[in-house]
Amino acid sequence: MLALRVIPCLDVKDGRVVKGVNFLELRDAGDPVEQARIYDREGADEITFLDITASHEGRDTMLDVVSRTAAQVFIPLTVGGGVRAVEAMRRLLLAGADKVSVNSAFVSDPALVTRGAEAFGSQAIVVAIDARSSGEGKWEVFTHGGRRGTGIDAIEWIREAERRGAGEILLTSMDRDGTRQGFDLGLLRAARAAVRLPIVASGGVGAVEHFVEGAGAGATGLLAASVFHYGQMRIAEAKAALEQAGLPVRPMAEAA
């Protein structure tokens, strides 16, 4: 089994890190470049940047933030938000991103993932899926920062992402986002049963045991935001909980 990844997520709006609950009531959480530097020093395995209003506002992702972060942070960087074309992927990768995440554009143009995988390799293409419960054991895909329902079944959409050539799934539970109640384990298990791709779990972390639960449900990446941003938890605590549960993590000395 590969080492699990602990991944801080920085949702960015107007050049600042923000965090809310269920994608609403956003509040400021700091400068994205400085936050990324702190997490790099603390032993995060990756950093994820999501420009959360880019698709809604019809603009491209913030290249300047990406390039400034890449100059100071030496762990993999995934960037998403407003990515609608292969050329936009290219610009982000040239600016220093290691992986590019697509969400809304995958719904409007599923072949974009295939074109991106052919141009840069599947390992560089992440499909982000924001899912909200639509009934017992069912979830609907939402786009544009969680503003638009699509009527698409999330588990089938994960299968489609794999068929199209994605290298990884970033799966966010909108119901759990910012609630600190833990990951949606039913959603994670259903996704794990559907595909063989690496799955990054997102939405709901409030305690170190939630990382262990997410790994047990099949996630290979464990993403959190507010508990890290506001100091309720450190990267080392999350990794220690995973290690104590007998799960593989990168030693902090390697990650630093």
Side-chain angles (χ1 to χ4, degrees):
M1 182 179 180
L2 294 176
L4 297 166
R5 293 167 290 152
V6 175
I7 307 171
C9 180
L10 292 90
D11 293 334
V12 179
K13 181 179 186 292
D14 301 327
R16 300 286 292 178
V17 178
V18 295
K19 195 67 190 103
V21 177
N22 304 130
F23 285 39
L24 301 172
E25 301 176 7
L26 302 177
R27 59 185 176 127
D28 189 271
D31 174 71
V33 179
E34 180 55 31
Q35 290 274 34
R37 287 179 59 196
I38 291 169
Y39 293 138
D40 187 12
R41 290 198 301 267
E42 289 192 350
D45 298 304
E46 297 183 9
I47 298 286
T48 292
F49 270 141
L50 298 177
D51 189 339
I52 61 172
T53 59
S55 291
H56 174 63
E57 296 170 359
R59 58 175 172 76
D60 292 336
T61 307
M62 61 292 171
L63 284 174
D64 62 319
V65 171
V66 175
S67 60
R68 287 190 291 119
T69 302
Q72 301 184 51
V73 171
F74 305 101
I75 54 178
L77 178 63
T78 298
V79 183
V83 178
R84 297 180 292 274
V86 170
E87 185 52 39
M89 296 177 179
R90 188 185 311 277
R91 287 195 296 269
L92 286 168
L93 293 168
L94 288 173
D98 297 276
K99 293 182 278 190
V100 177
S101 172
V102 296
N103 183 332
S104 301
F106 181 49
V107 173
S108 59
D109 180 14
L112 173 62
V113 166
T114 306
R115 297 195 299 273
E118 290 173 347
F120 311 114
S122 290
Q123 80 288 339
I125 308 300
V126 178
V127 167
I129 295 176
D130 297 332
R132 174 173 282 164
S133 177
S134 58
E136 186 66 30
K138 291 184 176 295
W139 298 267
E140 179 185 356
V141 174
F142 278 69
T143 63
H144 295 79
R147 293 173 176 84
R148 299 185 191 178
T150 64
I152 297 171
D153 178 78
I155 301 305
E156 180 53 40
W157 204 231
I158 291 169
R159 292 190 183 99
E160 181 67 10
E162 185 174 56
R163 287 193 290 265
R164 293 283 183 170
E168 183 171 271
I169 301 294
L170 170 55
L171 182 57
T172 299
S173 167
M174 293 180 62
D175 304 294
R176 296 300 182 95
D177 176 69
T179 67
R180 303 190 186 181
Q181 296 175 356
F183 294 117
D184 185 333
L185 302 180
L187 174 60
L188 285 175
R189 292 188 185 106
R192 179 74 287 152
V195 296
R196 300 182 66 180
L197 292 178
I199 296 172
V200 176
S202 169
V205 169
V208 291
E209 57 265 27
H210 294 154
F211 287 95
V212 177
E213 293 167 357
T220 55
L222 302 153
L223 181 148
S226 59
V227 291
F228 291 145
H229 300 340
Y230 299 121
Q232 284 91 359
M233 189 188 304
R234 307 295 290 270
I235 302 292
E237 293 175 283
K239 289 194 167 188
L242 291 166
E243 194 168 34
Q244 288 167 11
L247 297 167
V249 295
R250 289 177 63 207
M252 296 296 293
E254 286 183 26

